[in-house]
Amino acid sequence: MKTTTVQNINTLSAFCGKRDLNALETANLKQKYGIEQADVLVLFGGSILAGGDLLAQAIKNNLAKKYIIVGGYGHTTDGLRKEIQKHLSDSLPVNRLSEAELFNEYLKSTYGLQADYLETKSTNCGNNITYLLELIKKETIPHQSIILIQDAAMQLRMDATFKKFDTHSIVINYAAYQAQVKSRNLQLEYTQEISGMWPIERYISLLMGEIPRLADDENGYGPNGKNYLAHVEVPKEVTYAFLALQQVFPDAVRVANPAYSSKQ
């Protein structure tokens, strides 16, 4: 595999997988934002298993006042079920559990922890946020500062979606993992092991699907397109990397599944 292809994948990965903190520790929050704790930390069910481990770490570090897991059923659910089944009792009916319930069961069985609230209806990034905000409003949860943990491929879009619906909160991003790829024997592979990580072809598809969605033009999800997101500035080097990867992986861009579109 060409060095430029590896570099282009890593460019998209770094762009989409936004992290605003060096680590999920209170000292980092204090240093960067001047707060001892965030009001809320949210894990989104689109994440791979590594997101559950981060949530456990955050709870142990007392990073937030309230912890919420958001996720019903979507394009990532089947993969999550297969991964989490490896860590749960065979008697647990994982095929009937939402993403939020799956992660909460994983937290309980692996760490003896659980979230304060679960949102189990959402099916996509848009209603991940609208249903989250409905839950926050219903439960009167303060959210002047909120940490978002999502799959790294979708982290930047989750940030932009939240900012479309809430322009007042301090949003702190912490992508569930940081993945880089390398080439060995003309094959792509990850530079390090990540818990529950996507097959590499799937990850490339997820990454490449994000760039046209993040675009703020007539075909994208920004204000000048479908208006699902706040404006995102896509750097030229990211656009160039995407266009180059399209030549290498012409069928890799993930198309939105209408089965998971918002019902409201």
Side-chain angles (χ1 to χ4, degrees), residues 171-211:
V171 180
I172 304 166
N173 289 279
Y174 201 85
Y177 55 89
Q178 291 183 308
Q180 288 200 320
V181 302
K182 62 183 180 180
S183 178
R184 186 170 69 167
N185 298 326
L186 301 179
Q187 297 294 317
L188 290 170
E189 61 181 39
Y190 293 114
T191 59
Q192 62 180 350
E193 186 174 342
I194 300 171
S195 180
M197 190 56 183
W198 306 108
I200 204 157
E201 297 82 5
R202 171 69 166 159
Y203 183 55
I204 292 169
S205 175
L206 288 171
L207 285 175
M208 291 184 66
E210 289 302 296
I211 306 308

Side-chain angles (χ1 to χ4, degrees), residues 129-146:
I129 295 300
T130 55
Y131 289 158
L132 167 64
L133 292 173
E134 284 180 12
L135 172 63
I136 285 173
K137 182 178 180 180
K138 177 185 175 184
E139 300 293 339
T140 62
I141 303 169
H143 58 289
Q144 283 75 29
S145 55
I146 184 164

Side-chain angles (χ1 to χ4, degrees), residues 27-204:
N28 285 271
L29 270 182
K30 179 72 172 177
Q31 181 180 19
K32 186 163 184 179
Y33 296 98
I35 55 177
E36 299 289 347
Q37 278 184 305
D39 290 320
V40 181
L41 185 146
V42 184
L43 170 66
F44 293 95
S47 172
I48 61 168
L49 201 59
D53 299 323
L54 285 185
L55 177 54
Q57 178 187 336
I59 294 173
K60 289 178 180 179
N61 289 345
N62 204 25
L63 201 67
K65 297 170 185 174
K66 297 293 180 183
Y67 301 92
I68 303 174
I69 308 176
V70 172
Y73 306 88
H75 70 91
T76 59
T77 308
D78 287 342
L80 180 64
R81 284 173 175 157
K82 290 175 184 176
E83 281 299 319
I84 283 189
Q85 181 69 81
K86 301 173 186 176
H87 300 269
L88 303 181
S89 165
D90 289 337
S91 63
L92 197 68
V94 296
N95 289 335
R96 295 203 294 270
L97 297 181
S98 66
E99 292 172 349
E101 291 166 328
L102 286 165
F103 268 119
N104 207 43
E105 290 297 332
Y106 174 72
L107 274 183
K108 287 192 284 187
S109 66
T110 307
Y111 296 101
L113 302 169
Q114 60 182 324
D116 295 299
Y117 301 95
L118 304 180
E119 185 290 307
T120 61
K121 299 183 297 181
S122 55
T123 59
N124 58 55
C125 282
N127 58 35
N128 275 171
I129 295 300
T130 55
Y131 289 158
L132 167 64
L133 292 173
E134 284 180 12
L135 172 63
I136 285 173
K137 182 178 180 180
K138 177 185 175 184
E139 300 293 339
T140 62
I141 303 169
H143 58 289
Q144 283 75 29
S145 55
I146 184 164
I147 300 172
L148 307 181
I149 299 177
Q150 172 61 299
D151 191 88
M154 295 176 278
Q155 182 72 41
L156 185 57
R157 179 154 56 105
M158 191 60 73
D159 170 69
T161 305
F162 189 95
K163 288 174 179 174
K164 170 181 168 56
F165 293 99
D166 183 331
T167 59
H168 303 292
S169 300
I170 297 171
V171 180
I172 304 166
N173 289 279
Y174 201 85
Y177 55 89
Q178 291 183 308
Q180 288 200 320
V181 302
K182 62 183 180 180
S183 178
R184 186 170 69 167
N185 298 326
L186 301 179
Q187 297 294 317
L188 290 170
E189 61 181 39
Y190 293 114
T191 59
Q192 62 180 350
E193 186 174 342
I194 300 171
S195 180
M197 190 56 183
W198 306 108
I200 204 157
E201 297 82 5
R202 171 69 166 159
Y203 183 55
I204 292 169

